[in-house]
Amino acid sequence: MKPTSHMKPHSLDEQANRRAELAAHNRSKLRPLLGDDARAENLLWWDQDRVPIWACNSFFLGDASDIAFGNVILGYALVLPFEPGPAVFTAAGLAGVLACHSDKLEPEVRAAAQKRLAAILPFGMMADFQFHGYNDNMPVMWTWALAYGGEIFNEPRFTNIAWANLCQLKDLLRRRGTVAEYGQGYATHRLTGLAHIGQHSGDERLRELAGQCEARLWAEVAGHWSPAVSQIGGAAMRGGFPVIHETTTLLRHVLGDAITRIPWRDGLDDEARWSVRSLGCDETKYLFAYPYAYSAEFTSADYHVPDAVAELFYRKEPGFTFRCMSENGYSNGGIFCKQVPVYGQGGLLLTKTLTDEVVAIKDHPQHGAQPHELTSYHGANYVVGSSSTAQFATSHAFRCTYRRTEGVGAVCVRYNINDKIPGEQTIINKYWKSPDYPEEKGNYCGLYWDCGFTHAMQHKNTVLCLQEPANFEAWDIRSLRTDICFWQHDGKVDPVVDDDGLITINEGPVYMAIHPLIGRHAERKQAVKVSEMGGWKVVSLYNYEGPSREFSQRDLAKFGNGFVFEVRDASDYPSYEAFQNEMRQSRILDLLYGGRRKVHYARADLWLSTQYCPYAQTKMSTAVNGIEQVAPQFDFSDGSHVGLPFLDHKPAVGFEEWDWVQTQMTREIETYNPRE
């Protein structure tokens, strides 16, 4: 029998069933730790107002007593310390609760929630919160909050900005394949905001345009999603922990059990316990509230996934390739406002309040605004992906996620200056911006912050990944290296290093090879080292290791590093030795002259070459078998992307869309966190 529309796993009826199931689970975990006034000393992050605001969604889906307690939770959130400001998570969360559950709110609680939302919304009209190359979750959340607030407060200025935001997103998707912050990162917050607009807005224009944008963003996530590994793979602008439950929770809610190997509720419970440990708190005393809260928020909306896109979450034929373009904005971490940390329960950092004092660090590494070329290739047991460049110190310009004999593995890359250490968030690394200005950072999702620039090109399951150090700590350099990091949560990884430097890894269903590219170096004891660090197996490729030295910015840029990464399904070879022998036949040439780094990699059936300028971070060429590569706007190798919105290249002529551009320009120019 052919399934009817309501029988599809991503149908609204099926989403509603799973929403109710998860809500009951969340209530069972949170209620025993909450006092009758909804206070909870042992729930970490419960004193961050967005967390109880999100969590109350699960209580409003219960019986009368649950609904009554949901009002208590929301009331508690609204009496937490609050200063008017650009609190976008709070604004979007309140808009969602009011839109979904207003009829269940007690009059005084509803009035307090509306008053808080009204106080925050004007900050959403600031110039910071647009689709301009970073933080794409924020303009979507503001757009949803402004669209809702414009209606309930009869404020056309809010509605106009919401419309301008969506038109700007359409404008971006008409020229690029996806938003700036591609990959797993903030896909959840973006999709939830767009889904809420499509579900609740009274403006037909907003609903229709939000639905079209939602379809495109679902397509991007589908292109990176690996049915074999049950995770989003490939490059990520906001790199996440190799197994990330946040995204999986949303996808399982929308698409059902069949897409994931990680039990839904168990995943949330594991994250709640693991996070307590990683934050350095007593697991027998505390529980991390955040997973139960975000799951309540993300499952509060009805999502609409195109059928052809939904199919890609369940199955992909080996060899499926997703390619698209993205773009992001200029960034310079050396220009910033001083911040004052705010700590909460368990001594955890809740937020940082910004001051008016702007700090400018001379010669700090910069990342210019530019487009990105994204590729994700899917094997039978892996997904490998890359971006032509990476913007943030937490980005993954290269990442491979794969099935192991037991569990899941992942490999990604960082450039390391002066021996940064990966591991839990309790491990603090110092990143000196100047001799008198250290910055301490806990490890983000298990990895230290990147200290270099990355450039990658990819052809199918071969990635050419090039790096050079950024201008950090240049007055006191003791170590310069590329770290290729293998996650070992599901067991040890054992690389084999040949005499000529070739590194091969047998992970059962998957074979991998790494060809080091250590183009230039000063002094080092050993070019390639394999070590255990903070739960990771790390393959380090050294440019320098020795006594403290000072390097100029130009000197650092000359230290080319990187590698060629090859990954294969083990079933493609008669033996691991046969794979190793094939990899040994490859040839590499890596040269720096004329202000260009020129790299060639060849094997019997493939020749990759690229040229770029390490001094200016500009690309000259990327060729496969001698043919310059031109990345498509958006392409699924099986053609299932055809028919998606904004891919027909219909031009916007003259003043046809001028109204939203003009509306966008009426925003306040001042920003709360200047980059210049």
Side-chain angles (χ1 to χ4, degrees):
M1 181 180 70
K2 184 178 180 180
T4 58
S5 60
H6 73 275
M7 295 176 63
K8 294 176 181 176
H10 56 287
S11 71
L12 299 186
D13 287 344
E14 291 299 313
Q15 290 182 45
N17 292 336
R18 290 189 289 269
R19 180 183 300 121
E21 176 191 344
L22 180 64
H25 179 71
N26 287 344
R27 294 194 300 269
S28 73
K29 292 296 180 179
L30 294 175
R31 185 62 182 94
L33 295 175
L34 294 168
D36 290 340
D37 58 358
R39 297 184 184 277
E41 293 183 358
N42 296 336
L43 269 180
L44 298 178
W45 277 24
W46 191 246
D47 49 345
Q48 187 179 73
D49 67 350
R50 63 177 168 177
V51 172
I53 289 171
W54 290 348
C56 72
N57 283 286
S58 286
F59 287 82
F60 288 126
L61 294 178
D63 59 23
S65 64
D66 295 322
I67 292 171
F69 195 66
N71 278 275
V72 176
I73 292 175
L74 186 54
Y76 157 78
L78 295 171
V79 298
L80 288 170
F82 168 76
E83 293 182 8
V88 62
F89 289 93
T90 304
L94 286 173
V97 172
L98 287 165
C100 295
H101 308 295
S102 186
D103 60 329
K104 300 174 184 176
L105 300 183
E106 296 172 359
E108 63 274 17
V109 175
R110 184 186 307 111
Q114 291 175 341
K115 181 179 179 180
R116 177 66 54 84
L117 180 60
I120 299 173
L121 284 179
F123 293 93
M125 301 177 67
M126 297 167 68
D128 270 350
F129 306 120
Q130 303 178 44
F131 293 95
H132 48 19
Y134 14 67
N135 278 14
D136 282 316
N137 61 317
M138 288 194 173
V140 171
M141 289 191 290
W142 277 123
T143 300
W144 156 231
L146 289 165
Y148 180 76
E151 292 183 16
I152 67 169
F153 299 129
N154 193 25
E155 283 277 12
R157 60 181 181 142
F158 295 158
T159 305
N160 289 341
I161 294 298
W163 172 246
N165 281 358
L166 282 181
C167 287
Q168 189 185 35
L169 177 55
K170 172 187 175 181
D171 196 48
L172 171 62
L173 295 176
R174 185 166 47 198
R175 65 180 182 267
R176 302 298 185 199
T178 187
V179 291
E181 299 212 0
Y182 52 80
Q184 64 184 28
Y186 286 146
T188 44
H189 299 289
R190 290 194 295 263
L191 288 166
T192 301
L194 292 170
H196 272 312
I197 296 170
Q199 182 178 354
H200 298 293
S201 176
D203 188 321
E204 184 177 354
R205 295 185 313 161
L206 286 173
R207 290 199 309 273
E208 180 180 1
L209 188 48
Q212 292 172 320
C213 292
E214 184 190 357
R216 278 289 300 276
L217 296 191
W218 274 115
E220 185 230 337
V221 177
H224 292 305
W225 177 264
S226 168
V229 188
S230 299
Q231 291 179 31
I232 292 180
M237 178 53 76
R238 298 270 182 161
F241 194 70
V243 177
I244 186 74
H245 296 297
E246 184 172 318
T247 309
T248 305
T249 296
L250 173 66
L251 299 183
R252 190 274 182 188
H253 160 64
V254 178
L255 296 150
D257 293 320
I259 69 162
T260 177
R261 300 172 189 276
I262 304 170
W264 193 27
R265 295 178 301 277
D266 292 349
L268 292 176
D269 297 342
D270 288 344
E271 184 182 355
R273 291 189 294 267
W274 170 83
S275 297
V276 173
R277 295 194 302 272
S278 71
L279 293 167
C281 295
D282 185 350
E283 188 179 356
T284 64
K285 180 179 179 182
Y286 291 104
L287 183 68
F288 195 49
Y290 190 65
Y292 305 109
Y294 73 60
S295 64
E297 164 74 356
F298 297 155
T299 60
S300 65
D302 287 339
Y303 298 87
H304 296 82
V305 189
D307 289 346
V309 170
E311 184 67 20
L312 294 176
F313 284 95
Y314 302 106
R315 58 190 64 86
K316 286 186 175 80
E317 292 297 321
F320 179 95
T321 305
F322 169 45
R323 299 179 67 205
C324 78
M325 293 291 291
S326 179
E327 61 190 34
N328 59 38
Y330 163 80
S331 64
N332 183 347
I335 302 174
F336 55 93
C337 292
K338 279 192 174 180
Q339 301 177 349
V340 178
V342 178
Y343 297 97
Q345 292 171 185
L348 295 186
L349 180 68
L350 286 184
T351 187
K352 294 182 179 180
T353 58
L354 298 162
T355 70
D356 293 330
E357 183 177 355
V358 177
V359 177
I361 305 296
K362 183 182 178 181
D363 292 331
H364 191 275
Q366 304 177 57
H367 187 281
Q370 57 191 284
H372 289 248
E373 303 166 16
L374 304 173
T375 304
S376 280
Y377 179 89
H378 297 261
N381 295 289
Y382 64 86
V383 54
V384 59
S386 64
S387 167
S388 59
T389 186
Q391 179 181 18
F392 297 126
T394 58
S395 301
H396 290 317
F398 157 80
R399 188 160 61 113
C400 179
T401 311
Y402 57 91
R403 292 179 62 184
R404 309 185 68 187
T405 304
E406 296 289 338
V408 172
V411 55
C412 46
V413 65
R414 289 282 187 268
Y415 198 87
N416 193 329
I417 296 178
N418 290 341
D419 302 316
K420 305 301 184 285
I421 303 172
E424 305 288 9
Q425 295 183 41
T426 50
I427 295 177
I428 304 297
N429 289 304
K430 282 190 176 182
Y431 302 81
W432 291 82
K433 292 187 173 183
S434 70
D436 57 353
Y437 203 100
E439 184 173 6
E440 292 187 345
K441 291 183 180 293
N443 283 337
Y444 180 84
C445 297
L447 279 175
Y448 60 85
W449 295 56
D450 206 338
C451 302
F453 295 109
T454 303
H455 317 267
M457 67 172 293
Q458 179 173 349
H459 180 69
K460 297 183 179 179
N461 46 11
T462 304
V463 181
L464 176 60
C465 186
L466 305 180
Q467 290 193 301
E468 71 270 354
N471 192 35
F472 286 108
E473 306 169 37
W475 58 93
D476 180 26
I477 297 293
R478 300 176 302 280
S479 174
L480 297 170
R481 68 178 191 252
T482 285
D483 280 349
I484 306 166
C485 305
F486 291 82
W487 191 57
Q488 294 192 121
H489 180 79
D490 290 336
K492 296 293 184 182
V493 178
D494 295 309
V496 175
V497 184
D498 280 3
D499 292 339
D500 61 357
L502 174 67
I503 301 149
T504 52
I505 304 99
N506 181 351
E507 283 286 77
V510 170
Y511 298 153
M512 291 173 278
I514 296 169
H515 303 270
L517 291 166
I518 315 174
R520 282 141 301 285
H521 63 89
E523 177 183 342
R524 61 197 182 197
K525 298 173 184 175
Q526 183 177 334
V528 179
K529 294 183 181 178
V530 179
S531 58
E532 302 268 351
M533 285 189 241
W536 299 76
K537 181 64 64 71
V538 180
V539 176
S540 298
L541 314 177
Y542 278 82
N543 291 118
Y544 177 73
E545 184 182 27
S548 175
R549 288 181 57 177
E550 181 175 358
F551 292 93
S552 70
Q553 186 173 8
R554 191 170 183 85
D555 287 337
L556 286 174
K558 293 178 181 178
F559 284 117
N561 209 318
F563 54 92
V564 177
F565 180 85
E566 299 269 25
V567 57
R568 303 287 189 275
D569 287 303
S571 58
D572 293 339
Y573 291 84
S575 67
Y576 178 47
E577 290 72 21
F579 169 75
Q580 291 176 304
N581 289 335
E582 180 181 296
M583 293 297 107
R584 292 187 183 107
Q585 306 308 311
S586 302
R587 296 291 181 267
I588 293 172
L589 182 66
D590 186 353
L591 301 172
L592 177 66
Y593 65 93
R596 294 174 296 159
R597 185 180 181 190
K598 188 172 185 178
V599 181
H600 297 271
Y601 170 76
R603 59 172 195 259
D605 58 343
L606 179 66
W607 175 18
L608 301 182
S609 59
T610 186
Q611 301 179 77
Y612 78 98
C613 175
Y615 308 121
Q617 307 297 316
T618 51
K619 181 179 67 174
M620 186 173 177
S621 67
T622 53
V624 176
N625 295 333
I627 305 299
E628 179 67 15
Q629 295 301 286
V630 179
Q633 176 193 6
F634 191 103
D635 181 78
F636 291 151
S637 58
D638 69 352
S640 57
H641 63 288
V642 174
L644 287 171
F646 317 135
L647 293 180
D648 55 3
H649 302 289
K650 179 183 178 182
V653 180
F655 296 104
E656 186 177 307
E657 297 187 11
W658 189 253
D659 58 337
W660 75 261
V661 177
Q662 195 166 15
T663 300
Q664 183 187 49
M665 296 304 295
T666 62
R667 300 179 180 200
E668 295 291 336
I669 300 302
E670 295 80 7
T671 66
Y672 78 98
N673 188 14
R675 292 181 176 270
E676 288 290 337

